[in-house]
Structure formats: structure tokens, C-alpha cells
């Protein structure tokens, strides 16, 4: 006989892939200790046990980039542009570099808060009934971000680019007072070439982003702000363009493989450059298989390109079970030296959709067992750190899910790196169905970014568009398909249709694979009418469950977890899967959804604020649907899970519905040693019994070929006596980015998980920080930040970020009234932070000056320049001396400025670096300092406090040989 605990351990080992069966034991003092304990029976703590490994960093490092996530200034709410009046101001405000209001380079942001990215301000907003239900009753509104950026003088002459991973939702971006981008979607990246406007050394640069998150692109929670990474790329003047490598492996008809590589290149130099690319293919063990080169000519300020093909005789294939990745390193070479380099991970695999037999990966049929997922998580909204994504994807892997549709938009590139690495197929979906240039740019960006990825296997051009059954919809998809194929001809184009597929002219006629959202009852009819068209479900199920709840109470917004509560347009999980599994011509399923998400709390509205559709809840805690699908989707390892829990005080003698979620052949159910019954397993419906409740031990034994292969136990527990913390990992990286979710539950006197515990818990952390909390209750209005959370049906989650201070420990403790507290200590490993841009503080720089014509006698400081006179005086910048027009040794320099708060309130100092010439400095009509010598020196003068705009006037006399003027920068220091 197999020991029940042993079976549980085997199962976990399989799904965790970590080879560990070590749990976390709770010592008498409540301290969680890593100890080799017998793995708990399945269902005891419905989460994986603690692992030892660090998450693999999701991103393929690009040595030309620095992370720009730290130390942004943030203001919540809009800051209207000032009403511009007067001709001079109107004229000047219309010029490059002269952005006004909060976009101005010199705007005073000293009272803004400081935030690190990823950042989603909507997840910090209160739940308000008057706010939009679809967005989870959170007001999003507007926000501003500012960041000072210091560029090393050595960066002069290099190609410089800002890369915003994603900004929710519309954004205007200024660099040094000039608008450099308008962006019209919250899901695409924005790349900004800042080379021409960049300043160096103490002349700091200013990045400003105004975010309009009032605009919506969806009917789900979309978050708000700079919620993905921001990068600064510094490259040689001749460089490889961002997303500029196209390297998608191909298998020829004779079975041989090759990697055609095209590099898109740039050159900011003044003359064309001769260069070459050198491409190396490196196998999974780090051995370079081959290196090929090709010549490239780079015209000045125009894209150049180079192409070559790498033959690869017999590569190891990429698959969902063995996601073998090769490394493709492309170097741009000049004069025999590499000047830029980009590294990709690529995989060798074939895709084929067959109208009769569905999807084939590497020539083998593979049923798509997919889930649709939005991009938010409990506690953090859409600002999901890379390590948390790694965890979420591993939860999907544990489920037996092999494909993901990121609904309904592009996902962060780091997430796709993890999909390549972990072995998921990804339906990559375009957000906006629109063929106008701005929106076609979004689609083309998506394809260009992701067309090398082994994980990406379909391009979906839309989700459920009302025009899908019209000639206009057809014409639009035809155009989008052509645009996609111009960039990538290796993956099929699909569209997620929920209607119109039988209309005379409809979108199914313009795609390669037809996607059905729901419409289960049309599978056969459509296939009969279109026997040569491949078909997949692109979305199905939409069934409601509250995690850990077993009785529907619509008044309390609770949905039972027996898989009996589908949406009107959906199906139960079991029916949805059966319809797909039984039809070979339906390539697969994409269950709506893998995880719950904020917003769209169907079938309820206020006070429900989160969805009920997930196979897992908002924290990634498994619902019954998790065990159900896992038992349906995984064949090799025997699985058996009993539902529900067995704590039903007061229900003695009453029938409780018990389900076994299993992939074995038959299951015997026992209660307190007595036989309840034995059933053959129908994996579509799953065995169930009505069991008269008696407290004690409910046990299921699973058989294959008459032999016991699995066992599952649920037991009636005692009252909770202690808290328990189960971190996901025992070690964290002290790189300032690593996070992990910790599961909090309550246990009884025998250390058993109490599934009905609902109590308030308070947390404290040292050596790290809590970045978010959740419990999976869609009705909860508790804050997602802070240090308190209620256990919901026995569970809560705390997401902890390790501090960046080198080796040490991260200690999380939890306490609740009347319970023994718990502490979990994990190691913090000294891990270098990723190369990132140092924080910088913007002092007020007085850059823009007007300079009078030369005069032979000392001018008056009150000399007037008419507001509408744009031509008599020169425009000069501090640091760049221009000889005055006319003759004479004297000149006047004048600037207007509004000092920052410190100077306004307490006064400050104005500093002139390398001021050339002798003369006087006047501030608001009063002499502030005198410069007695002609030579270039740094001059300081007290800047008196005072409100509003101030006028600084310099009267400068040259020695007659060199021009006087502002040889260096001018600052006003608080
Ligand atoms: C679909 C839609 C999804 C979600 C789902 C809920 O129609 O594509 O985004 O709204 O319904 O059942």
C-alpha cells in the first residue's frame, strides 16, 4: 500500500519541479522552521511547500540598458497647464524645450512623493461605489511622474533611448521640456530616442510623464501609471535598433533547420558607416555552435540592415515539457571590435493547425489546455514584479496549463521571457481593433517585439468585436493580417469571435485559425460548414466560484465551488472542457480565467470588486477548479483531491456533497474508517457523493489497474490556535527587486490548516518590505497595502520584497488576537542589483537667457526689452557664450525664473559657473553681487526669498579680447 503522505509528496514533487518535499514546521513558539517533515496530506495547506531556489530573472539582460525604476517623483491627480497670457509668454511657450506647467524642466516637484517602479497608483485608491464597476470600483484619474537624469559627459555622441515598458493608459512624455511621445495605449512599450536633446554632466535632463488613466481601453481593472519597467539604453553611435533582431528558426522541407537573422541598425553619425554583424548561436550548455558574419552599411540617420542565415543541422527542440532555449548573440562590429550587442533566447519548434486534428507542436498533436489571464495580482494591481510573475506562471504550470492567452492585450516582455523559459504557448493579443496608423503601429510593434519567441504561437487581432460579422470587420482583419504577415509569416493570425461567424461576410474568412469565445453549441455546425478552417476555443467557461466556499449565498455575494454556477453565456468548467476534449477539430481551450482579477465582479456588482471566474483566486490560491482541471489535464502522475473541507459543525447527519478530483480509474471513499462508496471515475464529471456529515476523517483512495495509487484525506480540525507563515522560497535575492508571496494560515493544536478561519492578522517585516496583501475575497474592501489582512476562508497572502542591503535575513511575523504568532525567516542573499540609473535631484537650473546688443557704456539694469520683441536681443543658453551684436564692451543678460519652494520661503543662492567678464548681478531691481575681475570664475549671490516670477539681470563688461557671458551653468540652490 502506498502511504497517503508519500503520494502527496510525489504529486508535489512533480508539480513543483523543485525536487523538494520539505515543508515548514511550526515550532511551539510559533517560529516557522525549515525542517524535513512529512509532506502534509493534499488539501491540508492548499499551496506548494517552500522551495529553495531563487527565481530565474525573467529578463534577458541587455548590457546596453540601465534600469530606470528608482526614485521617480509622483503626483496623483492632474495639474492643469497654466493659462498662458501675453505675447512673450505665448511665443516662448510654443518653442522646443519650453514646455509649461508641470512639464517644464524647472517645475518645482519638491513636494511630490517619491516612488519606485513598477507603480500602479489605482491599487492604492479606496473602493468607491460611485466609481466604475468594471475597473473594480477604483478611481484612476490622472497622474504625473518626473525624473531627473544625469548623463555622464562620456555618453556624448552615443545613441540614447528611453524605454517605457507600459504606461496605463494614455501618456504624454516630455524630455527636457519638449514633447517626445504621445502614447495611445496602456499595453504597448514606448521607445524614445533622446540623443539630440540630451544634456551632460551637471546639466541634468528632465523626464516628465503625464498619465491619463481616466481613459479606458477595457472592461477590467487596468491600473494606472508607470506599471512596467523603464530603461535607459546607451549605445554606440552605430547600434542595433530596439527590437531590431528578427531571428525566427525555420525547418526546411527536408527537415534541416536554419535561423534567418535580420538586424535593423542605426547610425547617428554624420557620415555612413561600414560595419558587419557577427551572429553566434550558443547551445543550452553554453557552447557556441557557429558564428556567422555579414557586411552592413549604415547610412547616416537612416535605418540600415544586415542579414544572414545560420544553418543548424539537428537542434534540440523546444516544447512545453522541454522548453530548450538556445542563445542568439548578435554583435555589431566596427574595425574588428564589437560596438553593440543584443542577446535573444530562441527555440526550435514547429507549429501547425489542422482543420480536422487541431494543433500540432513539433508534428505531434497537442491539445491546447489554456487559460486566459489579465495582468494584475492581489496587493499590487498591475504593477506585478518580475519575480511574482515567475510565481504566477509556475502556478499555471502546476495546474497542467500549457497555453496562455494574455487578455486582451500585450503583456510585459519579461513575462514572455518566462513563458519561453517555462514552456507555455502564448496567444498574443492586440488590444485595439482599429486600422488607422496609430493603432496599426501598436499591432506592428507587438509583432516586431515578439516574433522571435518560441512561446508565441498565434497573433490574435481582436477580442469580441461587434463588427466581426460585417464586411467592414472582414476588411479590417484582412488589413491587419497582411500587416502581421509582412513582419512574421510563421504564425497564424486569429481573432476571438463571439458572433457573426455565419454571416455572409465575416472575419472567419480573413484569419488562419478561427477563435470562438463561448459558442460551444456552434462548434459542430461551424466545422461542418467550414471543414478546412482550423478552429480553437479562444475563450470559454466563465464559471463562478468563491475560493473555499461551498454554499452559494447570492445575498452575500458568495458562489459555491462545486462547479455548478456558470455564467449564462458560459458553461461549467466540466462542460467547457468536455466540449473541447471530445472534438479533435477544436484545437483547445482557453478557460476564462486562470486567475481572478480586480474588476468585472460578474455576476455581482457593489460591494463585490473582483472577479469570480478564476481557477485560482486573486492571490493565486487554488479553487476547486484548480484540482478539477489539474486532474483533467495531467495524465502521468496519479492525482486525487477531496473537496470540500470537513469542518461542518452543526450539520451532523446532514448530507454534504463530496467530490473527488482525480485522474485515477476508481475511487473509494471512507468516512471514519467506514465505506461510503466506490465509483468509477468519469474525468469529465468527476465522482461525487452525498455524505451524511460526521466529524472526523474523510479519506479517498484512488486505484489504477486495481492497485492503490493515490490517497487524499480531509479531517475535521480543532479551533485555530496558532498562525503559520509559508513563504514560497527560503532564500531571496537582495537585489532590490526580488519579491515572494507568503501564505498565511491558521492551524489547530495538531498543526492542521483550519479552512474556515476568518480572522484579522497583523504583520511586521524586517530586512524587507511588504508591498501588498490579499486574501482572494472578491468582496473585500480592505486596503491592499499596509500591514493588516483578514484570513479569508483560512488564507491570506503577504507579498514581501527583500531589502537591497546585501546578505541578511528577511523576517516576516504575523499576529492575531488569541493565537500564537508566527515568524518566518528567510535568507537574503547578497545579489548585485541590476545595473540601474542613479537617482538625481534637480536643482533649479536657469538655462534660458536673453542678451542685449553690445553697448559702449554701462547699461542700466532696468533696461527694457518689450514683451513682444523677439528679435532685438539674442537667445542664449547658460554654458554657451555668444558674442553680442554691435560694438562696445557692455552687454546685458536677463532671465526670468520661478524659484523652488525652499528659495521662495527661505531664500537661496544663485550660482554662476564660469562667469566671464566683470560687472554686476541684479535680482528684482536690486544689486545682489559684484564681479570685479574679467576672468571666468564661479560667482555666488544670495537669492532673497519671495513669491512668483523673479528677474535676474547681469551687466557684464568684457576685457575687449574675449566675449563676456555665461561660460557655465547657472543654478539656484535652496
Ligand atoms: C468575455 C470577454 C472577457 C470577459 C468574459 C467574462 O465576453 O471576452 O473579457 O468579459 O466575457 O465572461
Amino acid at each position: 500500500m502506498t502511504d497517503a503522505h508519500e503520494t502527496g509528496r510525489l504529486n508535489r514533487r512533480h508539480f513543483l519541479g523543485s525536487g523538494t518535499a520539505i515543508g515548514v514546521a511550526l515550532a511551539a513558539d510559533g517560529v516557522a522552521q525549515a525542517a524535513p517533515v512529512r509532506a502534509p496530506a493534499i488539501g491540508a495547506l492548499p499551496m506548494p511547500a517552500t522551495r529553495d531556489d531563487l527565481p530565474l530573472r525573467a529578463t534577458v539582460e541587455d548590457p546596453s540598458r540601465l534600469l530606470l525604476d528608482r526614485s521617480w517623483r509622483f503626483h496623483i491627480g492632474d495639474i492643469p497647464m497654466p493659462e498662458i497670457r501675453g505675447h512673450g509668454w505665448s511665443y516662448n511657450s510654443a518653442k522646443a524645450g519650453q514646455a509649461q506647467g508641470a512639464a517644464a524642466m524647472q517645475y518645482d516637484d519638491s513636494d511630490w512623493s517619491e516612488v519606485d517602479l513598477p507603480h500602479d497608483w489605482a491599487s492604492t485608491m479606496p473602493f468607491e461605489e460611485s466609481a466604475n464597476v468594471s475597473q473594480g470600483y477604483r478611481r484612476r484619474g490622472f497622474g504625473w511622474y518626473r525624473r531627473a537624469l544625469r548623463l555622464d559627459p562620456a555618453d556624448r555622441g552615443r545613441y540614447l533611448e528611453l524605454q517605457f515598458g507600459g504606461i496605463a493608459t494614455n501618456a504624454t512624455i516630455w524630455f527636457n521640456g519638449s514633447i517626445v511621445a504621445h502614447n495611445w495605449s496602456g499595453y504597448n512599450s514606448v521607445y524614445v530616442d533622446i540623443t539630440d536633446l540630451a544634456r551632460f554632466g551637471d546639466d541634468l535632463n528632465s523626464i516628465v510623464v503625464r498619465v491619463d488613466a481616466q481613459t479606458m481601453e477595457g472592461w477590467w481593472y487596468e491600473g494606472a501609471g508607470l506599471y512596467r519597467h523603464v530603461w535607459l539604453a546607451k549605445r554606440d553611435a552605430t547600434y542595433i535598433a530596439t527590437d531590431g533582431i528578427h531571428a525566427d528558426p525555420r525547418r526546411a522541407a527536408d527537415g534541416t533547420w536554419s535561423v534567418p537573422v535580420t538586424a535593423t541598425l542605426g547610425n547617428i553619425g554624420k557620415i555612413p558607416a561600414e560595419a558587419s554583424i557577427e551572429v553566434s548561436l550558443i547551445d543550452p550548455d553554453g557552447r557556441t555552435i557557429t558564428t556567422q558574419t555579414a557586411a552592413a552599411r549604415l547610412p547616416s540617420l537612416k535605418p540600415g540592415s544586415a542579414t544572414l542565415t545560420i544553418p543548424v543541422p539537428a537542434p534540440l527542440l523546444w516544447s512545453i515539457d522541454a522548453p530548450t532555449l538556445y542563445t542568439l548573440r548578435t554583435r555589431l562590429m566596427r574595425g574588428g571590435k564589437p560596438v553593440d550587442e543584443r542577446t535573444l533566447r530562441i527555440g526550435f519548434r514547429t507549429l501547425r493547425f489542422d482543420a480536422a486534428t487541431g494543433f500540432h507542436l513539433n508534428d505531434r498533436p497537442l491539445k491546447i489546455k489554456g487559460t486566459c489571464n489579465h495582468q494584475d495580482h492581489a496587493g499590487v494591481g498591475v504593477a506585478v514584479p518580475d519575480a511574482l510573475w515567475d510565481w504566477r506562471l509556475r502556478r499555471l504550470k502546476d495546474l497542467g496549463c500549457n497555453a496562455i492567452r494574455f487578455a486582451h492585450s500585450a503583456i510585459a516582455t519579461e513575462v514572455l521571457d518566462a513563458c519561453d523559459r517555462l514552456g507555455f504557448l502564448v496567444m498574443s493579443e492586440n488590444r485595439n481593433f482599429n486600422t488607422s496608423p496609430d493603432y496599426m503601429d501598436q499591432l506592428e510593434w507587438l509583432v516586431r517585439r515578439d516574433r522571435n519567441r518560441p512561446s508565441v504561437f498565434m497573433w490574435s487581432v481582436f477580442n469580441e468585436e461587434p463588427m466581426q460579422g460585417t464586411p467592414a470587420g472582414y476588411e479590417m482583419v484582412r488589413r491587419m493580417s497582411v500587416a502581421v504577415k509582412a513582419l512574421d509569416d510563421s504564425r497564424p493570425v486569429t481573432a476571438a469571435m463571439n458572433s457573426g461567424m455565419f454571416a455572409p461576410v465575416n472575419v472567419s474568412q480573413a484569419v488562419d485559425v478561427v477563435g470562438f469565445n463561448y459558442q460551444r453549441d456552434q462548434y459542430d455546425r461551424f466545422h461542418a460548414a467550414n471543414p478546412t478552417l482550423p478552429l480553437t476555443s479562444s475563450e470559454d467557461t466563465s464559471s463562478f466560484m468563491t475560493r473555499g466556499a461551498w454554499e452559494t449565498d447570492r445575498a452575500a455575494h458568495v458562489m459555491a465551488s462545486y462547479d455548478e454556477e456558470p455564467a449564462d453565456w458560459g458553461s461549467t468548467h466540466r462542460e467547457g472542457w468536455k466540449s473541447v476534449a471530445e472534438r479533435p477539430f477544436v484545437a483547445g481551450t482557453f478557460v476564462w480565467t486562470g486567475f481572478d482579477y480586480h474588476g468585472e465582479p460578474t455576476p455581482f456588482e457593489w460591494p463585490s470588486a473582483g472577479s469570480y471566474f478564476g481557477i485560482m483566486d486573486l492571490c493565486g490560491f487554488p479553487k476547486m477548479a484548480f484540482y478539477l482541471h489539474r486532474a483533467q489535464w495531467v495524465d502521468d502522475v496519479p492525482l486525487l483531491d477531496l473537496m470540500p473541507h470537513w469542518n461542518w459543525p452543526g450539520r451532523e447527519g446532514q448530507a454534504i456533497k463530496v467530490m473527488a478530483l482525480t485522474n485515477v480509474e476508481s475511487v473509494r471513499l471512507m468516512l471514519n474508517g467506514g465505506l461510503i462508496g466506490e465509483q468509477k471515475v468519469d474525468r469529465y464529471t468527476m465522482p461525487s457523493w452525498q455524505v451524511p456529515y460526521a466529524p472526523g476523517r474523510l479519506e479517498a483512495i484512488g486505484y489504477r489497474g486495481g492497485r492503490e495509487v493515490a490517497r487524499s484525506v480531509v479531517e475535521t480540525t480543532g479551533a485555530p490556535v496558532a498562525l503559520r507563515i509559508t513563504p514560497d522560497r527560503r532564500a531571496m535575492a537582495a537585489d532590490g527587486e526580488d519579491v515572494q508571496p507568503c501564505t498565511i494560515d491558521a492551524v489547530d493544536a495538531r498543526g492542521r490548516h483550519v479552512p474556515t478561519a476568518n480572522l484579522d492578522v497583523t504583520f511586521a517585516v524586517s530586512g524587507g518590505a511588504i508591498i501588498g496583501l490579499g486574501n482572494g475575497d472578491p468582496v473585500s474592501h480592505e486596503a491592499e497595502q499596509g500591514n493588516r489582512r483578514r484570513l479569508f476562508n483560512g488564507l491570506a497572502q503577504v507579498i514581501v520584497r527583500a531589502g537591497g542591503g546585501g546578505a541578511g535575513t528577511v523576517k516576516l511575523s504575523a499576529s492575531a488576537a488569541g493565537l500564537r504568532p508566527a515568524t518566518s525567516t528567510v535568507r537574503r542573499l547578497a545579489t548585485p542589483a541590476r545595473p540601474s540609473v542613479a537617482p538625481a535631484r534637480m536643482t533649479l537650473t536657469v538655462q534660458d537667457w536673453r542678451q542685449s546688443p553690445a553697448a559702449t557704456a554701462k547699461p542700466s539694469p532696468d533696461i527694457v526689452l518689450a514683451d513682444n520683441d523677439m528679435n532685438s536681443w539674442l537667445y542664449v543658453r547658460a554654458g554657451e557664450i555668444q558674442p553680442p551684436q554691435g560694438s562696445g564692451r557692455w552687454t546685458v543678460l536677463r532671465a526670468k525664473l520661478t524659484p523652488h519652494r525652499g528659495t521662495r520661503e527661505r531664500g537661496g543662492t544663485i550660482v554662476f559657473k564660469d562667469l566671464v567678464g566683470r560687472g554686476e548681478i541684479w535680482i528684482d531691481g536690486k544689486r545682489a553681487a559684484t564681479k570685479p575681475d574679467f576672468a571666468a570664475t564661479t560667482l555666488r549671490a544670495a537669492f532673497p526669498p519671495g513669491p512668483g516670477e523673479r528677474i535676474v539681470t547681469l551687466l557684464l563688461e568684457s576685457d575687449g579680447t574675449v566675449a563676456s557671458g555665461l561660460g557655465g551653468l547657472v543654478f539656484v540652490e535652496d
Side-chain angles (χ1 to χ4, degrees), residues 219-220 374 405 407-408 463-464 498 517-518 539 542 567 569 592 597 600 602 613:
W219 49 93
W220 57 89
H374 281 311
R405 172 179 180 228
H408 302 290
N463 174 63
E464 297 183 353
N498 65 340
N517 281 14
Y518 311 94
E539 184 177 321
S542 275
W569 56 92
W592 189 267
Y597 47 98
E600 202 176 29
T602 323
F613 296 116

Side-chain angles (χ1 to χ4, degrees), residues 15-40:
F15 285 104
L16 292 172
S18 63
T20 177
I22 296 176
V24 170
L26 190 81
D29 60 357
V31 174
Q33 298 177 332
V37 295
R38 290 158 69 84

Side-chain angles (χ1 to χ4, degrees), residues 109 137 148 164 203 276 281 285 313 340 436 464 488 512 612 700 703 757 874 921:
D109 58 21
Y137 293 109
F164 296 82
D203 198 0
S276 63
L281 186 68
D285 296 326
D340 196 9
S436 64
E464 297 183 353
D488 172 38
D512 307 303
Y612 290 74
Y703 301 89
L874 296 175
I921 299 165

Side-chain angles (χ1 to χ4, degrees), residues 600-630:
E600 202 176 29
T602 323
F604 305 115
E605 296 207 344
W606 183 267
S608 286
S611 81
Y612 290 74
F613 296 116
I615 292 172
M616 290 173 267
D617 71 14
L618 197 55
C619 298
F621 293 136
K623 300 183 187 175
M624 176 275 211
F626 182 93
Y627 302 101
L628 167 67
H629 281 295
R630 188 171 73 164

Side-chain angles (χ1 to χ4, degrees), residues 538-591:
S538 34
E539 184 177 321
D540 54 64
T541 307
S542 275
S543 194
F544 311 121
M545 281 185 199
T546 302
R547 194 260 307 150
W550 300 98
E551 286 176 308
T552 292
D553 179 351
R554 286 183 176 256
H557 292 200
V558 172
M559 298 306 266
S561 297
Y562 284 112
D563 192 31
E564 290 167 348
E565 302 276 10
D568 293 343
W569 56 92
S571 65
T572 63
H573 287 272
R574 287 169 295 174
E575 287 162 349
W577 172 241
K578 188 168 190 237
S579 315
V580 170
E582 288 185 334
R583 289 175 173 77
F585 66 86
V586 180
T589 180
F590 282 93
V591 177

Side-chain angles (χ1 to χ4, degrees), residues 750-761:
R750 289 171 52 194
R752 293 175 301 186
H753 167 69
V754 181
T756 48
N758 288 309
L759 36 91
D760 291 316
V761 185

